[in-house]
Amino acid sequence: MFSNISTRLTTTLKSLIPLHNHNQIPQFSHSLLIPTNLHPPPLRSHPLNMSSQSSPLPPPDSSTPIKTVKVEIKGRVQGVFYRDWTVQNATELGLKGWVRNRRDGSVEALFSGSVDKVGEMQERCRRGPPSAVVTGVNVSPCEEDPEPGFQRRPTV
């Protein structure tokens, strides 16, 4: 029975796939219908990143000017995953800093990194996540030196 199925499967594959070399079509074991002539791909020199998030960019080198700003985002920015979105975007850009809700309904964040990456994050904050409605963004320079990484802080 399996012999007949594997023969029909191989024949069908050969007729559907226009190859010059039909030896590239899998040959199946008669007992388990497992391809027997396929070889696994070569091993990668670097392991795959199985994380669902993008890997952060490496930190800027010492010759890159660092910019640190404090940003206040106003509008419908709480209860719409704005902080989680900020952590994801800042991490993607390789920024250091933090984000937190404020009791007045705004979101406050500190971004530190290369001038262009901080500028890009400021622009992203003006749009925010899909369900946010940003009505204002205030940016001011800051002297604070944040810890490595990007953290979500408690509400103040």
Side-chain angles (χ1 to χ4, degrees):
M1 175 178 156
F2 286 115
S3 174
N4 189 20
I5 293 172
S6 67
T7 303
R8 284 191 295 166
L9 184 57
T10 302
T11 303
T12 302
L13 285 172
K14 284 182 180 179
S15 68
L16 293 175
I17 302 173
L19 297 174
H20 297 292
N21 181 359
H22 284 282
N23 291 331
Q24 295 176 6
I25 294 177
Q27 301 298 311
F28 294 91
S29 161
H30 296 298
S31 60
L32 299 175
L33 292 178
I34 297 173
T36 57
N37 66 331
L38 298 180
H39 302 287
L43 295 175
R44 294 178 172 271
S45 59
H46 305 296
L48 290 174
N49 180 359
M50 300 306 286
S51 169
S52 62
Q53 294 184 358
S54 301
S55 60
L57 298 174
D61 62 44
S62 59
S63 65
T64 305
I66 300 299
K67 179 178 183 179
T68 303
V69 296
K70 194 171 276 188
V71 179
E72 180 186 18
I73 304 103
K74 295 185 177 187
R76 191 178 69 172
V77 293
Q78 291 189 11
V80 293
F81 301 101
Y82 201 100
R83 288 175 298 165
D84 290 339
W85 174 89
T86 302
V87 170
Q88 180 182 359
N89 278 265
T91 301
E92 177 184 305
L93 292 171
L95 298 176
K96 297 188 319 181
W98 48 262
V99 62
R100 64 185 172 197
N101 281 344
R102 298 191 53 86
R103 286 193 180 90
D104 67 1
S106 66
V107 170
E108 181 181 37
L110 181 126
F111 303 117
S112 183
S114 68
V115 174
D116 59 331
K117 299 297 181 186
V118 170
E120 170 65 23
M121 189 65 206
Q122 289 173 221
E123 287 306 310
R124 291 184 186 189
C125 285
R126 293 181 198 291
R127 293 185 304 270
S131 52
V133 177
V134 177
T135 59
V137 176
N138 297 322
V139 179
S140 55
C142 182
E143 298 297 319
E144 185 177 332
D145 185 20
E147 298 174 17
F150 202 88
Q151 292 90 33
R152 178 177 160 159
R153 289 190 173 174
T155 300
V156 292

